[in-house]
């Protein structure tokens, strides 16, 4: 039984050693893709939030001008 177990471990180690570089390459590719996607999402959100802030400021300025005009009319 010990001999079968040892043969199994040797076979498993040999097969694993051949698949390890392939596994590492796939993992590395997935990590790069994740980082690229994360940066794209970060850039998109930053851009969108910047646009929303600018729109908010423009609306706020228009409201203030309208309030000033109403005060002047009174």
């Amino acid at each position: 039984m010990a001999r079968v177990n040892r043969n199994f471990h040797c076979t498993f180690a040999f097969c694993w050693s051949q698949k390890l570089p392939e596994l590492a390459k796939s993992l590395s590719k997935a990590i790069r893709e994740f980082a690229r996607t994360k940066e794209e999402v970060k850039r998109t959100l930053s851009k969108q939030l910047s646009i929303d802030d600018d729109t908010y400021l423009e609306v706020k300025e228009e409201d203030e001008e309208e309030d000033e005009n109403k005060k002047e009319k009174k």
Side-chain angles (χ1 to χ4, degrees):
M1 184 69 176
R3 185 176 190 160
V4 172
N5 198 13
R6 188 173 354 147
N7 287 340
F8 173 76
H9 285 160
C10 289
T11 304
F12 181 76
F14 177 74
C15 292
W16 176 252
S17 66
Q18 289 180 341
K19 293 288 183 178
L20 191 58
E22 183 180 325
L23 178 65
K25 184 178 178 181
S26 297
L27 184 60
S28 176
K29 184 178 179 182
I31 290 170
R32 280 194 310 270
E33 184 65 28
F34 177 78
R36 189 177 308 121
T37 303
K38 182 181 81 169
E39 287 302 317
E40 183 180 330
V41 168
K42 186 190 274 186
R43 212 175 17 258
T44 302
L45 286 176
S46 177
K47 185 177 179 182
Q48 187 63 40
L49 290 174
S50 174
I51 290 170
D52 289 346
D53 287 345
D54 292 343
T55 304
Y56 170 76
L57 292 175
E58 289 172 9
V59 170
K60 186 177 178 182
E61 290 171 359
E62 290 173 3
D63 288 345
E64 289 173 354
E65 289 174 8
E66 287 177 8
D67 290 343
E68 289 176 13
N69 291 337
K70 288 178 183 177
K71 288 179 184 178
E72 289 175 2
K73 289 181 182 179
K74 287 182 181 181

PDB file of all heavy atoms in Angstrom, residues 28-42:
ATOM      1  N   SER A  28      -1.705  35.190 -13.556  1.00  0.00           N
ATOM      2  CA  SER A  28      -1.099  36.487 -13.833  1.00  0.00           C
ATOM      3  C   SER A  28      -1.944  37.292 -14.814  1.00  0.00           C
ATOM      4  O   SER A  28      -2.169  38.496 -14.636  1.00  0.00           O
ATOM      5  CB  SER A  28       0.308  36.279 -14.392  1.00  0.00           C
ATOM      6  OG  SER A  28       0.876  37.500 -14.756  1.00  0.00           O
ATOM      7  N   LYS A  29      -2.440  36.629 -15.847  1.00  0.00           N
ATOM      8  CA  LYS A  29      -3.291  37.295 -16.841  1.00  0.00           C
ATOM      9  C   LYS A  29      -4.574  37.799 -16.193  1.00  0.00           C
ATOM     10  O   LYS A  29      -5.021  38.919 -16.461  1.00  0.00           O
ATOM     11  CB  LYS A  29      -3.604  36.323 -17.976  1.00  0.00           C
ATOM     12  CG  LYS A  29      -4.388  36.925 -19.100  1.00  0.00           C
ATOM     13  CD  LYS A  29      -4.615  35.913 -20.210  1.00  0.00           C
ATOM     14  CE  LYS A  29      -5.434  36.507 -21.338  1.00  0.00           C
ATOM     15  NZ  LYS A  29      -5.691  35.520 -22.390  1.00  0.00           N
ATOM     16  N   ALA A  30      -5.171  37.003 -15.328  1.00  0.00           N
ATOM     17  CA  ALA A  30      -6.407  37.399 -14.644  1.00  0.00           C
ATOM     18  C   ALA A  30      -6.172  38.599 -13.734  1.00  0.00           C
ATOM     19  O   ALA A  30      -6.990  39.520 -13.674  1.00  0.00           O
ATOM     20  CB  ALA A  30      -6.961  36.222 -13.849  1.00  0.00           C
ATOM     21  N   ILE A  31      -5.042  38.604 -13.039  1.00  0.00           N
ATOM     22  CA  ILE A  31      -4.724  39.722 -12.143  1.00  0.00           C
ATOM     23  C   ILE A  31      -4.519  41.001 -12.945  1.00  0.00           C
ATOM     24  O   ILE A  31      -5.006  42.072 -12.569  1.00  0.00           O
ATOM     25  CB  ILE A  31      -3.488  39.396 -11.279  1.00  0.00           C
ATOM     26  CG1 ILE A  31      -3.849  38.320 -10.260  1.00  0.00           C
ATOM     27  CG2 ILE A  31      -2.958  40.640 -10.580  1.00  0.00           C
ATOM     28  CD1 ILE A  31      -2.664  37.751  -9.511  1.00  0.00           C
ATOM     29  N   ARG A  32      -3.809  40.926 -14.074  1.00  0.00           N
ATOM     30  CA  ARG A  32      -3.609  42.115 -14.926  1.00  0.00           C
ATOM     31  C   ARG A  32      -4.927  42.641 -15.463  1.00  0.00           C
ATOM     32  O   ARG A  32      -5.178  43.849 -15.473  1.00  0.00           O
ATOM     33  CB  ARG A  32      -2.671  41.777 -16.086  1.00  0.00           C
ATOM     34  CG  ARG A  32      -1.213  41.766 -15.726  1.00  0.00           C
ATOM     35  CD  ARG A  32      -0.331  41.769 -16.973  1.00  0.00           C
ATOM     36  NE  ARG A  32      -0.703  40.754 -17.950  1.00  0.00           N
ATOM     37  CZ  ARG A  32      -0.224  39.508 -17.991  1.00  0.00           C
ATOM     38  NH1 ARG A  32       0.653  39.121 -17.082  1.00  0.00           N
ATOM     39  NH2 ARG A  32      -0.606  38.667 -18.924  1.00  0.00           N
ATOM     40  N   GLU A  33      -5.786  41.740 -15.900  1.00  0.00           N
ATOM     41  CA  GLU A  33      -7.098  42.136 -16.432  1.00  0.00           C
ATOM     42  C   GLU A  33      -7.944  42.795 -15.342  1.00  0.00           C
ATOM     43  O   GLU A  33      -8.618  43.797 -15.583  1.00  0.00           O
ATOM     44  CB  GLU A  33      -7.823  40.918 -17.010  1.00  0.00           C
ATOM     45  CG  GLU A  33      -9.139  41.240 -17.653  1.00  0.00           C
ATOM     46  CD  GLU A  33      -9.012  42.115 -18.886  1.00  0.00           C
ATOM     47  OE1 GLU A  33      -7.970  42.072 -19.571  1.00  0.00           O
ATOM     48  OE2 GLU A  33      -9.974  42.858 -19.162  1.00  0.00           O
ATOM     49  N   PHE A  34      -7.893  42.245 -14.140  1.00  0.00           N
ATOM     50  CA  PHE A  34      -8.628  42.831 -13.028  1.00  0.00           C
ATOM     51  C   PHE A  34      -8.118  44.238 -12.729  1.00  0.00           C
ATOM     52  O   PHE A  34      -8.911  45.164 -12.544  1.00  0.00           O
ATOM     53  CB  PHE A  34      -8.502  41.947 -11.780  1.00  0.00           C
ATOM     54  CG  PHE A  34      -9.177  42.525 -10.576  1.00  0.00           C
ATOM     55  CD1 PHE A  34     -10.547  42.442 -10.442  1.00  0.00           C
ATOM     56  CD2 PHE A  34      -8.436  43.169  -9.597  1.00  0.00           C
ATOM     57  CE1 PHE A  34     -11.172  42.983  -9.334  1.00  0.00           C
ATOM     58  CE2 PHE A  34      -9.054  43.714  -8.498  1.00  0.00           C
ATOM     59  CZ  PHE A  34     -10.429  43.615  -8.351  1.00  0.00           C
ATOM     60  N   ALA A  35      -6.805  44.414 -12.690  1.00  0.00           N
ATOM     61  CA  ALA A  35      -6.229  45.733 -12.420  1.00  0.00           C
ATOM     62  C   ALA A  35      -6.607  46.726 -13.517  1.00  0.00           C
ATOM     63  O   ALA A  35      -6.943  47.887 -13.228  1.00  0.00           O
ATOM     64  CB  ALA A  35      -4.707  45.629 -12.295  1.00  0.00           C
ATOM     65  N   ARG A  36      -6.574  46.297 -14.758  1.00  0.00           N
ATOM     66  CA  ARG A  36      -6.938  47.161 -15.879  1.00  0.00           C
ATOM     67  C   ARG A  36      -8.406  47.584 -15.775  1.00  0.00           C
ATOM     68  O   ARG A  36      -8.740  48.762 -15.938  1.00  0.00           O
ATOM     69  CB  ARG A  36      -6.683  46.431 -17.197  1.00  0.00           C
ATOM     70  CG  ARG A  36      -6.823  47.297 -18.410  1.00  0.00           C
ATOM     71  CD  ARG A  36      -6.493  46.559 -19.712  1.00  0.00           C
ATOM     72  NE  ARG A  36      -5.192  45.884 -19.667  1.00  0.00           N
ATOM     73  CZ  ARG A  36      -5.017  44.572 -19.829  1.00  0.00           C
ATOM     74  NH1 ARG A  36      -6.040  43.789 -20.081  1.00  0.00           N
ATOM     75  NH2 ARG A  36      -3.822  44.040 -19.779  1.00  0.00           N
ATOM     76  N   THR A  37      -9.267  46.651 -15.480  1.00  0.00           N
ATOM     77  CA  THR A  37     -10.693  46.947 -15.347  1.00  0.00           C
ATOM     78  C   THR A  37     -10.954  47.860 -14.157  1.00  0.00           C
ATOM     79  O   THR A  37     -11.762  48.787 -14.248  1.00  0.00           O
ATOM     80  CB  THR A  37     -11.495  45.639 -15.189  1.00  0.00           C
ATOM     81  OG1 THR A  37     -11.213  44.799 -16.313  1.00  0.00           O
ATOM     82  CG2 THR A  37     -12.974  45.905 -15.105  1.00  0.00           C
ATOM     83  N   LYS A  38     -10.237  47.623 -13.062  1.00  0.00           N
ATOM     84  CA  LYS A  38     -10.400  48.463 -11.875  1.00  0.00           C
ATOM     85  C   LYS A  38     -10.035  49.910 -12.189  1.00  0.00           C
ATOM     86  O   LYS A  38     -10.752  50.842 -11.808  1.00  0.00           O
ATOM     87  CB  LYS A  38      -9.523  47.933 -10.737  1.00  0.00           C
ATOM     88  CG  LYS A  38      -9.655  48.713  -9.449  1.00  0.00           C
ATOM     89  CD  LYS A  38      -8.745  48.170  -8.375  1.00  0.00           C
ATOM     90  CE  LYS A  38      -7.371  48.724  -8.598  1.00  0.00           C
ATOM     91  NZ  LYS A  38      -6.429  48.501  -7.511  1.00  0.00           N
ATOM     92  N   GLU A  39      -8.935  50.113 -12.898  1.00  0.00           N
ATOM     93  CA  GLU A  39      -8.518  51.470 -13.262  1.00  0.00           C
ATOM     94  C   GLU A  39      -9.518  52.122 -14.213  1.00  0.00           C
ATOM     95  O   GLU A  39      -9.798  53.315 -14.113  1.00  0.00           O
ATOM     96  CB  GLU A  39      -7.122  51.454 -13.897  1.00  0.00           C
ATOM     97  CG  GLU A  39      -6.016  51.188 -12.907  1.00  0.00           C
ATOM     98  CD  GLU A  39      -5.978  52.191 -11.783  1.00  0.00           C
ATOM     99  OE1 GLU A  39      -6.126  53.404 -12.039  1.00  0.00           O
ATOM    100  OE2 GLU A  39      -5.829  51.761 -10.626  1.00  0.00           O
ATOM    101  N   GLU A  40     -10.072  51.338 -15.125  1.00  0.00           N
ATOM    102  CA  GLU A  40     -11.068  51.873 -16.060  1.00  0.00           C
ATOM    103  C   GLU A  40     -12.321  52.328 -15.311  1.00  0.00           C
ATOM    104  O   GLU A  40     -12.858  53.407 -15.573  1.00  0.00           O
ATOM    105  CB  GLU A  40     -11.422  50.815 -17.097  1.00  0.00           C
ATOM    106  CG  GLU A  40     -12.399  51.300 -18.145  1.00  0.00           C
ATOM    107  CD  GLU A  40     -12.718  50.220 -19.162  1.00  0.00           C
ATOM    108  OE1 GLU A  40     -11.853  49.363 -19.422  1.00  0.00           O
ATOM    109  OE2 GLU A  40     -13.836  50.252 -19.688  1.00  0.00           O
ATOM    110  N   VAL A  41     -12.764  51.518 -14.368  1.00  0.00           N
ATOM    111  CA  VAL A  41     -13.940  51.883 -13.569  1.00  0.00           C
ATOM    112  C   VAL A  41     -13.644  53.118 -12.727  1.00  0.00           C
ATOM    113  O   VAL A  41     -14.463  54.039 -12.640  1.00  0.00           O
ATOM    114  CB  VAL A  41     -14.374  50.697 -12.672  1.00  0.00           C
ATOM    115  CG1 VAL A  41     -15.392  51.136 -11.638  1.00  0.00           C
ATOM    116  CG2 VAL A  41     -14.932  49.577 -13.523  1.00  0.00           C
ATOM    117  N   LYS A  42     -12.454  53.148 -12.131  1.00  0.00           N
ATOM    118  CA  LYS A  42     -12.069  54.300 -11.319  1.00  0.00           C
ATOM    119  C   LYS A  42     -12.052  55.578 -12.166  1.00  0.00           C
ATOM    120  O   LYS A  42     -12.560  56.617 -11.755  1.00  0.00           O
ATOM    121  CB  LYS A  42     -10.679  54.061 -10.719  1.00  0.00           C
ATOM    122  CG  LYS A  42     -10.244  55.133  -9.739  1.00  0.00           C
ATOM    123  CD  LYS A  42      -8.780  54.967  -9.368  1.00  0.00           C
ATOM    124  CE  LYS A  42      -8.569  54.035  -8.250  1.00  0.00           C
ATOM    125  NZ  LYS A  42      -7.156  53.999  -7.803  1.00  0.00           N
TER     126      LYS A  42
END
